[in-house]
Amino acid sequence: MTSTIDPKTIGKPGARTVRKHVRSLTGYTPETDETGKEKWPRGDEKAWKTSMRGLDTDIPSITKSIVGHVQTSLAQQAHNLDDLGAYQAAALSVRDNLILNWNETQMHYTRKEPKRAYYLSLEFLMGRTLDNALLNLGLKPKYDDSISQLGFRLEDLLEQERDAALGNGGLGRLAACYLDSSASQELPVWGYGLRYKYGIFQQLIAPDGSQLEAPDPWLEHDNPWELPRLDVTYEVRFYGHSERLDNMKAVWSGGQEVLAMAYDTMIPGYETKSTNNLRLWESKPKRGFDLQSFNAGDYERAVESSNSAAAITSVLYPNDHTTFGKELRLKQQYFWTAASLADIMRRFKNLGKPISEFPDYVAIQLNDTHPTLAIPELMRIFVDEEDVPWDAAWQLVTNTFFFTNHTVLPEALEKWPVPLMQNLLPRHMQIIFDITEIVVSVVEKKFPGDRERLARMSLIEEGYPQNIRMANLACIGTRKVNGVAELHSELVRLTIMKDFVDLYGVSKFSNVTNGITPRRWLDQCNPRLSNLISETLKLPKAVFLKDLYKLEGLLQFADDPAFQKKWAAVKQSNKERLAQHVQTTLGLKINTHAMFDVQIKRLHEYKRQTLNIMGVIHRYLTLKDMTPAERKKVNPKVVLFAGKAAPGYYVAKLTIRLIVNVARIINADADTKDYLQLYFLPDYSVSLAEVLIPASDISQHISTAGTEASGTSNMKFCLNGGLLVGTVDGANIEIAEEVGEQNVFFFGHLTPAVEDLRYKHMYHPVPVEQKCPPLARVLNEVSAGRFGDGGVYEPLLNTIRQHDYYLLTEDFDSYIQALKLVDEAYQDRTEWIKKSIRTTAKMGKFSSDRAIQDYAQEYWNIESTKPE
Ligand SMILES: *Cc1c(COP(=O)(O)O)cnc(C)c1O
């Protein structure tokens, strides 16, 4: 390891910035004999081969393996084993299978030397692993039997696992779905991210209804799904100074060095041995550096440096769709990109190919702008360390990277102050300035004298201080840029990237509509539905779980009453499963005979949970106005919310507080509680989504048009036969194209109207009383304290009364109208079930397998390859 570094050499000019300490794991080059046959690498081949473990997956072998782990890995016995211990033993036993497949897959890649793709994402929202691994390995029934024999229930053990929640929401969950699809399609793809000690915070609800945040100690118990790689470490430098040499080169030295250590998580493909890797980096203090301080007698500084090194990967920033320039966040970004690129570089070098062939073996996808520092970092490696001339290096870099944009919201576009970058990463600041020169010269050539255009396109935004525009850097330094749904990609071309479209032509900017993995979001979360589909289509599950277009076969059964009955029974049992879950976790009783209306996603003004809660209050007031006889005709409804707000997002947190307090009043009102119930389920997570989604009749995706890039939970609901109330936004549009507009409840203004409306709100405001009286009534009831704490909600209400940037007053009437149509449609239950069946049947396009194939073919140029 690293304690052998001589402190005297630290910071000396010419020292390599990223030194390698890797006992090569996957960099093994097999030796061959004269005939070209691979030689056994060491010792007695027979002794090795007769001793190597195979995959015995009969029930007695599984039981033996679980009990073996109880005895040795956990040092426990039958009499003191609880559900947690049994879970851990089962997980370790499953992990053995994954490791053997992982080894074989990685050795296969090493031998075959295919081009590989790397998915760089600061977030991976993986959820739980055991159930998913069992399903992908095809071992669930056997483990179920074996675990019962040992006196436990598999369902109980599955509940013991903590979610790996290293992500905020959609972006991180997308990365997780993409890993599943890559492995399932036998594509050589690795993920790179950070191993945060604390994932997204745990959400608690205070007595007054507001959100509290607690740390998420997901590593409290051993995490059986990761392998620490003590021998895969890299040094990462911060601060110091960079001295320019000639030929655009420089020497970066001094400052602070920290260690990145790898943790590997195995990603099993579905019905294949192919098992890919998610490599997460943990930061550690570098011993050699500490030693120097100790020698200088500066004990305190040495201790401080070890604290700050560990801090880098301690916590995931809980912001979704906003950025604020915290130095530690920039440190995380560089730490992760530097370690990942050093690792990728080492693997490439093991191939023994000339550096000019780098893009023939490596494709790197940047998931949003968070990993954009990879662009200057790879330039630094090529130019400063590998002696590649600047222009040639730029060619290689721009042929290696691809960039996915996830939002056009202005507050989400990453910018970093130049002074901060200058101080933390002086060499990268120089490189960014040098890349700016490239931009200037190409723009100057194509648009001579167009200074305004140049100012917009520059990597540097003028101001005090100047800022670096990461989206511009990500665009300039990559081969292709994509948005995540058709509308969004079009908006990218028309707004934030317009000048770059003029410069490069439109072909650099395209679309890959997001997808979801049907393994987790159909088979795992809704086994009853997946069984019914298999039985009805007379197809093994593997057929439609690998080719989701096969669901179209359900269309011919949509009118079959016997099938409709079974379909409805599955939905009903999923509602009861959810009700049971809520009963045991929260002690609440849900009416399972009502329509379930669900909105679960991060809390954000653009997602308009406020519109939903105002709609609920409107429904409540309408019910109160009715006579008991009139109410009896109303279709009972349960409205469910879940979602976290960023800890510093005041208005979003106020929305949660309002929902919780409205729920208290409504659910206690004897006049209405049989017709309307409202729940806010705390601590939204992947695991909670897996229970909620299969139970929904209708779900809400009601962002202001043009603000939701794609959405993926809309796909999850529709795949599970839930219908959609939505605005004409993101992937809602493509879902409607597939399932037919008659099966979707659309409302609200369209994207082209939004800008004009906002302009009017700004310069010709009309009071809400005039513009939308029903909404005004709702706002006034809240103000007047009908749901408690009247004054508390004023800042939230004022966002609507004043600028109404997200246009609630413009969309409220058509929203209420859409909900009325939902009620009417639900009255004709047979017709509703048909819509539900047709929706599921047409969800083929939204498999993440399709999205990953698109990336593999149109972007990365990689091919499937698997061990025999
Ligand atoms: C799918 C998913 C999301 C994304 O939801 P959207 O409604 O598309 O924003 C967020 N969080 C979790 C836990 C998810 O599973």
Side-chain angles (χ1 to χ4, degrees), residues 257-318:
E257 284 186 309
V258 299
L259 267 196
M261 183 185 131
Y263 282 77
D264 288 345
T265 303
M266 294 133 277
I267 307 294
Y270 176 69
E271 290 239 316
T272 168
K273 262 190 187 177
S274 275
T275 303
N276 280 337
N277 197 20
L278 167 59
R279 180 159 280 180
L280 301 178
W281 301 105
E282 182 185 65
S283 61
K284 306 213 300 185
K286 204 190 96 180
R287 290 276 294 150
F289 185 70
D290 292 351
L291 217 55
Q292 193 181 34
S293 301
F294 282 120
N295 289 346
D298 189 354
Y299 176 73
E300 243 172 71
R301 229 187 89 198
V303 177
E304 193 184 81
S305 99
S306 78
N307 286 342
S308 72
I312 296 174
T313 54
S314 99
V315 63
L316 164 75
Y317 277 89

Side-chain angles (χ1 to χ4, degrees), residues 122 317 319 322-337 368-374 376 411-425 428-429 432-433 458-474:
L122 207 42
Y317 277 89
N319 297 311
T322 41
T323 63
F324 46 93
K326 286 266 165 73
E327 178 172 275
L328 186 58
R329 168 79 173 194
L330 188 59
K331 266 188 147 173
Q332 287 186 336
Q333 295 185 351
Y334 180 63
F335 172 82
W336 154 60
T337 50
D368 212 329
T369 52
H370 316 145
T372 302
L373 282 170
E411 68 269 32
L413 294 179
E414 254 192 310
K415 285 172 192 173
W416 289 103
V418 167
L420 177 62
M421 187 74 74
Q422 176 73 52
N423 181 48
L424 188 69
L425 299 167
H428 297 77
M429 195 62 248
I432 290 168
F433 282 132
S458 173
L459 300 187
I460 308 296
E461 179 186 71
E462 290 308 326
Y464 304 96
Q466 295 177 311
N467 274 305
I468 306 159
R469 296 171 173 138
M470 302 308 270
N472 288 18
L473 179 54

Side-chain angles (χ1 to χ4, degrees), residues 125 169-170 173 521 600-601 607 684-686 711-713 716:
L125 191 49
R173 184 54 232 175
W521 296 113
I600 49 174
K601 47 186 79 233
K607 290 179 182 277
Y684 183 45
S685 64
V686 170
T712 48
S713 81
K716 299 168 193 165

Side-chain angles (χ1 to χ4, degrees), residues 72 120 151 167 172 191 221 234 281 294 353-354 422 470 566 656:
T72 56
L120 266 60
H221 308 299
Y234 298 94
W281 301 105
F294 282 120
K353 308 284 179 191
Q422 176 73 52
M470 302 308 270
K566 290 183 195 165
I656 293 177

